[in-house]
Amino acid sequence: MKNGKRCAIVTGAARGIGRGISLALAEHGYTVAAVGTRPADAVEEYTAELRRLSPESFYIRGDISSHDDRLRIAEEAFAGLETVDVLVNNAGVAPNVRADMLAMSEESFDRVLGINLRGTFFLTQEIARRMAAQQNDAFRAVVFVTSISASVSSVNRGEYCISKAGLSMAATLYADRLAEFGIRVYEVRPGIIATDMTAGVREKYDRLIAGGLCPIPRIGQPEDVGRTVLALADGALGYTTGQIVGVDGGMTIQKL
Ligand SMILES: NC(=O)c1ccc[n+]([C@@H]2O[C@H](COP(=O)([O-])OP(=O)(O)OC[C@H]3O[C@@H](n4cnc5c(N)ncnc54)[C@H](OP(=O)(O)O)[C@@H]3O)[C@@H](O)[C@H]2O)c1
């Protein structure tokens, strides 16, 4: 809490799903520390919208795969927010090239796991230590944005699937470890969401969705994930922790 408002850190906040999440939180009374890799002058349109909804929110430039940046992100976020109620681990990347797993490079494996898994795990550690040390009776939560790829195989981006499967276990571990501090932990698994990440394969996905891939017959929007994370952050599922919420239009329903 700062000046009576709940406080959240959101990574990868300036575009795509992170934008949907951070603006949903800002619109519903949160002050947000928004993290991204781009310089502040490259995200001015976003920060103007964020601050219109939540005037004390601010942007932190940082790369979650860098140890030094993770430390600075945590320090700047806690300095600006005072008490952190919610951490949303949304930042993530797809492989630069969708290569068959029999041809996948070690460089791509290291890059994707370095950001999605190692970076997110250790940023959470940095922030969770501080949250655990704070006296705070408010509802507190950590949300991990993984993917249906945590359990659905895509052999042309195996490193992404492995990173999200690993992150899913990280969410379970943090749920177990942070319960004693009153911090709930959730995993949100988006399906196909319209963002830069899926722009290059949009035609293929549109075709699959038109052909019945999702029982809810449309592509997901960042706002769909934003509303879900807002509900979790606000404590709507307060007597749960370590649970997975799929935001995938029902895509992972097994059918006969
Ligand atoms: N789109 C989908 O269909 C889909 C489905 C399932 C799961 N997801 C997951 O949802 C999350 C957001 O995806 P998206 O579709 O919104 O992707 P996106 O449009 O490509 O945005 C990715 C975000 O992550 C940030 N980011 C990337 N590397 C970073 C790093 N090293 N340090 C800090 N921030 C970093 C980016 O920051 P900059 O703005 O500074 O570049 C950007 O804000 C990801 O974890 C992704 O795996 C997406």
Side-chain angles (χ1 to χ4, degrees):
M1 286 273 203
K2 187 184 178 189
N3 298 331
K5 296 185 77 176
R6 284 171 64 71
C7 293
I9 301 169
V10 181
T11 65
R15 60 195 171 98
I17 291 173
R19 182 184 173 106
I21 294 169
S22 58
L23 296 185
L25 293 173
E27 193 179 352
H28 291 86
Y30 283 74
T31 298
V32 178
V35 180
T37 63
R38 287 175 290 162
D41 59 6
V43 294
E44 272 172 2
E45 182 273 328
Y46 164 73
T47 40
E49 179 61 4
L50 180 70
R51 294 174 70 99
R52 186 183 69 76
L53 296 167
S54 170
E56 288 188 87
S57 293
F58 55 94
Y59 181 75
I60 302 171
R61 183 186 186 186
D63 175 350
I64 64 161
S65 69
S66 148
H67 172 86
D68 292 349
D69 279 16
R70 286 193 296 268
L71 199 63
R72 192 175 45 74
I73 289 165
E75 281 167 358
E76 286 184 27
F78 277 78
L81 298 174
E82 294 172 3
T83 306
V84 172
D85 303 296
V86 176
L87 164 64
V88 183
N89 285 309
N90 163 77
V93 293
N96 285 328
V97 180
R98 287 190 172 206
D100 180 84
M101 60 185 285
L102 298 182
M104 182 209 301
S105 70
E106 293 190 25
E107 289 72 24
S108 180
F109 185 96
D110 289 347
R111 170 179 170 269
V112 172
L113 269 84
I115 296 171
N116 294 3
L117 181 54
R118 191 173 186 279
T120 303
F121 180 87
F122 284 106
L123 180 71
T124 305
Q125 185 193 65
E126 203 62 64
I127 289 168
R129 279 184 191 140
R130 288 170 171 76
M131 286 175 76
Q134 284 188 323
Q135 189 54 47
N136 186 352
D137 294 332
F139 181 82
R140 297 193 289 174
V142 175
V143 180
F144 288 83
V145 178
T146 65
S147 169
I148 55 165
S149 299
S151 64
V152 175
S153 166
S154 294
V155 294
N156 64 350
R157 50 195 177 99
E159 62 276 63
Y160 183 76
C161 298
I162 293 167
S163 75
K164 293 299 187 178
L167 197 58
S168 176
M169 177 46 89
T172 303
L173 288 162
Y174 275 115
D176 190 7
R177 185 65 185 88
L178 298 181
E180 71 174 273
F181 305 105
I183 300 169
R184 312 290 197 272
V185 179
Y186 302 107
E187 177 185 347
V188 168
R189 285 190 181 176
I192 301 172
I193 312 294
T195 69
D196 292 345
M197 190 177 276
T198 49
V201 277
R202 180 65 194 264
E203 232 172 80
K204 173 188 161 189
Y205 285 151
D206 282 345
R207 220 178 320 114
L208 289 171
I209 291 167
L213 181 70
C214 307
I216 300 173
R218 65 167 176 85
I219 194 163
Q221 297 297 329
E223 295 74 19
D224 292 313
V225 186
R227 276 190 293 274
T228 304
V229 172
L230 174 65
L232 296 171
D234 276 351
L237 276 65
Y239 186 55
T240 64
T241 192
Q243 298 301 308
I244 301 168
V245 182
V247 187
D248 61 4
M251 191 176 140
T252 43
I253 293 174
Q254 289 192 324
K255 289 177 261 188
L256 192 59

